[in-house]
Amino acid sequence: MRIDLHTHSAVSDGTQPPAELVRAAAAAGIDVMALTDHDTLAGVPRAAAEGRRVGVRVLPGLEMSSRLRGASVHLLAYFVDAFYPPLADELARIRDGRQHRTAAIVDRLVAHGLPLTAADVRRAAGSAASIGRPHVADALVELGVVTDRDEAFARWLADGRPGAVPKYEPGTAAAVALVRAAGGVPVIAHPWGRPSADVLTPGTLAALGEHGLVGVEVDHDDHDADTRRRLRALVRELGMVVTGSSDTHGAGKPGYDVGCNTTDPDEYERLLEAARVIARVAGRGGPDAS
Ligand code: AMP
Ligand code: ZN
Ligand code: FE
Ligand code: FE
């Protein structure tokens, strides 16, 4: 069984509409996938419908932005109840913050002499429910300022570059609690990849585990072989679930193709077991609700 628990569609900053992404997963031999767009569940119904058509189980999910000691930490959440008001409100607040922050990024880049407008970014974002730096990158590609998203990040948008403007994000521990209250399973995404590696120390991961964190994404292309080895050992020692996933963004992130990393079926079973317990306690969400 091939399981990919972290994918993005054009509902956030991936390049494929949800149904097309699910068909790509089916073509890659994926049996179970989670759609985890940034800070929105809006693509899930379309992905799930296509999944039923092509024989892929689509788990409802999202990748929630959070903040820990000044760094952005990405929290995957599976099986949340999308209509739980405290979660829906928080996600709306994060997406609003993304809108304001995009305007600030445009202002900064204009101040640095780039011929960019807010309308260019809106056009690049299309119908995305959640706007982000990759859409600014796409606008810069369209204008011929850079050749691809990678160059846009390296020159203009990565942390420390002129267009790196922080956005509103709830604290990571609060986000973990909110996901569980919504009946969902919280899993930290790519902890030892670029921006969050310094703050997600072994001690902090252990503390988050005490706080209700269920799993940690280990097999991710932002982690090299040695990082995966060390992180896998730590997560096992902490008794948490080990996941692996592509974090595909379609054509937006070459090399991160759907199914390029997968989750072990036994670890997936442990995730489902945790999901059932959390859903029972919360009285909502869970793997049997979808
Ligand atoms: P944001 O959510 O607006 O802060 O933007 C972060 C997103 O940008 C993440 O989903 C990353 O996958 C994406 N990203 C970061 N660096 C790059 C890069 N070099 N090329 C393409 N996408 C990137
Ligand atoms: Zn993304
Ligand atoms: Fe991420
Ligand atoms: Fe992601």
Side-chain angles (χ1 to χ4, degrees):
M1 187 159 65
R2 280 168 56 75
I3 303 158
D4 187 344
L5 296 179
H6 183 167
T7 69
H8 296 271
S9 76
V11 168
S12 64
D13 55 6
T15 55
Q16 300 152 295
E20 188 181 318
L21 172 63
V22 172
R23 288 194 292 276
I30 293 295
D31 304 289
V32 179
M33 65 170 276
L35 180 64
T36 54
D37 277 313
H38 296 282
D39 305 310
T40 178
L41 288 144
V44 167
R46 273 174 280 164
E50 188 67 7
R52 284 189 289 274
R53 215 175 64 75
V54 299
V56 174
R57 180 171 185 196
V58 176
L59 312 184
L62 66 104
E63 183 176 19
M64 193 168 170
S65 308
S66 77
R67 188 150 286 262
L68 185 64
R69 293 197 288 278
S72 192
V73 168
H74 289 179
L75 187 68
L76 296 162
Y78 304 109
F79 305 118
V80 288
D81 177 354
F83 299 103
Y84 178 57
L87 178 67
D89 291 353
E90 189 63 41
L91 293 177
R93 189 170 171 198
I94 298 172
R95 291 194 304 267
D96 279 357
R98 285 177 166 279
Q99 293 281 356
H100 294 123
R101 175 248 214 165
T102 301
I105 293 176
V106 171
D107 289 349
R108 288 257 194 110
L109 296 183
V110 167
H112 275 79
L114 296 192
L116 180 71
T117 67
D120 295 331
V121 180
R122 267 199 306 279
R123 201 174 319 116
S127 59
S130 185
I131 196 164
R133 281 178 285 174
H135 299 119
V136 180
D138 291 345
L140 295 176
V141 172
E142 197 60 38
L143 290 166
V145 172
V146 292
T147 56
D148 55 22
R149 280 188 180 181
D150 238 6
E151 189 189 350
F153 269 85
R155 289 179 59 185
W156 298 105
L157 299 167
D159 293 356
R161 307 306 300 166
V165 178
K167 59 184 180 292
Y168 167 73
E169 298 172 322
T172 302
V176 166
L178 183 56
V179 166
R180 290 183 70 111
V185 180
V187 172
I188 293 269
H190 48 69
W192 291 354
R194 282 153 300 177
S196 59
D198 296 338
V199 299
L200 288 170
T201 59
T204 297
L205 286 172
L208 287 168
E210 297 287 321
H211 204 84
L213 181 69
V214 168
V216 176
E217 190 177 62
V218 172
D219 290 306
H220 183 286
D221 276 0
D222 287 357
H223 296 153
D224 63 23
D226 181 57
T227 302
R228 293 181 195 206
R229 218 165 14 246
R230 288 182 292 115
L231 187 56
R232 191 184 318 278
L234 172 68
V235 175
R236 286 213 178 117
E237 183 189 316
L238 295 173
M240 288 195 275
V241 174
V242 170
T243 71
S245 30
S246 65
D247 197 5
T248 183
H249 285 66
K253 228 171 156 184
Y256 292 65
D257 295 332
V258 65
C260 70
N261 293 293
T262 56
T263 295
D264 184 277
D266 293 336
E267 297 295 311
Y268 173 58
E269 278 309 317
R270 292 180 64 209
L271 190 101
L272 290 178
E273 204 37 59
R276 291 189 191 100
V277 172
I278 291 170
R280 206 175 306 133
V281 171
R284 57 177 78 248
D288 308 315
S290 52

